[in-house]
Amino acid sequence: MLENWVVMPTCLPLVLRCCHSCASERFRANGKFRVNANHKLIDAWLLVLCTACGETAKLTVLERVNVRSVRPELLDRLHANDPGLTAELLQDPVIRRRNRIALDWDNAWRLDTGGSDHLDREVIDISVRFAARIPVRPVRLIAEGCGLSRAEVERLITEGKLVTWSGRRCGRAGARAMIYHSMIFEDGP
């Protein structure tokens, strides 16, 4: 029977960027936006706070864009400080690249395995789905979902007990895994 595991966010990730005031590298998004219009052009920023000193930094969302080219729903969400929009924008690779930021997902996600009844089975067929773009190594997912240490999972990989059906080593996120007692085999999506 196929077990569907889901990696889902529990809160917004921290933003990795240098603070100009205290040289800290972590910012917390509080879901606030600043919107500024100059005649027909509009700018919008996502405000983030330094976790060390509380200094505010701006992440550019819109820059010198004609107001008529911005969807009215987006403008409404910016003005309403929509927390869902904050999560969407932090996930957007274009926004991250433009602002030269990275995200720290430590303690900001959880693995939903649907319970622990799969641990008693002789054979487990697992499919992992990500609710957001969360960079988690497959080794960590298997370890957490099966109640093993990461060292134990690494040992299984080294011994060749954790391989793909094509003979390659385990390592693709979102793949299916088949577990026989202490043997784990990974299958393509």
Side-chain angles (χ1 to χ4, degrees):
M1 182 175 154
L2 181 65
E3 289 286 329
N4 292 306
W5 291 359
V6 181
V7 177
M8 54 182 54
T10 56
C11 61
L12 291 173
L14 293 177
V15 175
L16 299 178
R17 172 185 174 162
C18 286
C19 179
H20 298 294
S21 298
C22 70
S24 172
E25 294 184 353
R26 293 188 177 351
F27 284 81
R28 184 182 68 254
N30 61 358
K32 304 280 187 203
F33 292 93
R34 177 165 183 232
V35 180
N36 185 27
N38 186 6
H39 300 287
K40 295 180 182 179
L41 302 178
I42 191 168
D43 295 302
W45 299 274
L46 171 61
L47 302 179
V48 293
L49 301 172
C50 176
T51 57
C53 69
E55 184 71 23
T56 301
K58 300 185 291 188
L59 304 180
T60 302
V61 176
L62 299 173
E63 187 172 30
R64 297 287 177 210
V65 176
N66 191 313
V67 174
R68 293 184 185 263
S69 67
V70 178
R71 295 184 330 268
E73 311 86 51
L74 177 60
L75 276 177
D76 290 342
R77 291 177 77 187
L78 287 168
H79 288 298
N81 292 321
D82 184 3
L85 180 60
T86 301
E88 290 173 28
L89 292 174
L90 286 176
Q91 296 279 326
D92 189 350
V94 174
I95 299 287
R96 292 197 322 248
R97 191 172 30 251
R98 177 188 301 154
N99 290 285
R100 296 183 182 97
I101 62 169
L103 300 178
D104 179 9
W105 282 97
D106 286 348
N107 301 318
W109 64 273
R110 70 180 175 90
L111 177 64
D112 182 15
T113 61
S116 62
D117 60 336
H118 65 276
L119 297 175
D120 299 335
R121 293 197 200 134
E122 199 170 305
V123 177
I124 306 170
D125 187 11
I126 301 167
S127 175
V128 179
R129 184 178 61 82
F130 290 82
R133 290 184 185 119
I134 303 172
V136 183
R137 295 175 188 244
V139 169
R140 184 169 180 191
L141 290 177
I142 293 169
E144 189 168 316
C146 294
L148 301 171
S149 67
R150 286 194 296 210
E152 178 69 17
V153 174
E154 291 286 352
R155 186 184 60 75
L156 291 172
I157 292 171
T158 305
E159 292 175 357
K161 294 180 180 177
L162 181 55
V163 295
T164 63
W165 289 116
S166 61
R168 295 180 305 207
R169 289 174 48 135
C170 177
R172 293 178 306 166
R176 290 177 59 188
M178 190 72 100
I179 302 173
Y180 298 96
H181 298 290
S182 65
M183 295 180 63
I184 302 173
F185 299 94
E186 184 180 319
D187 177 9

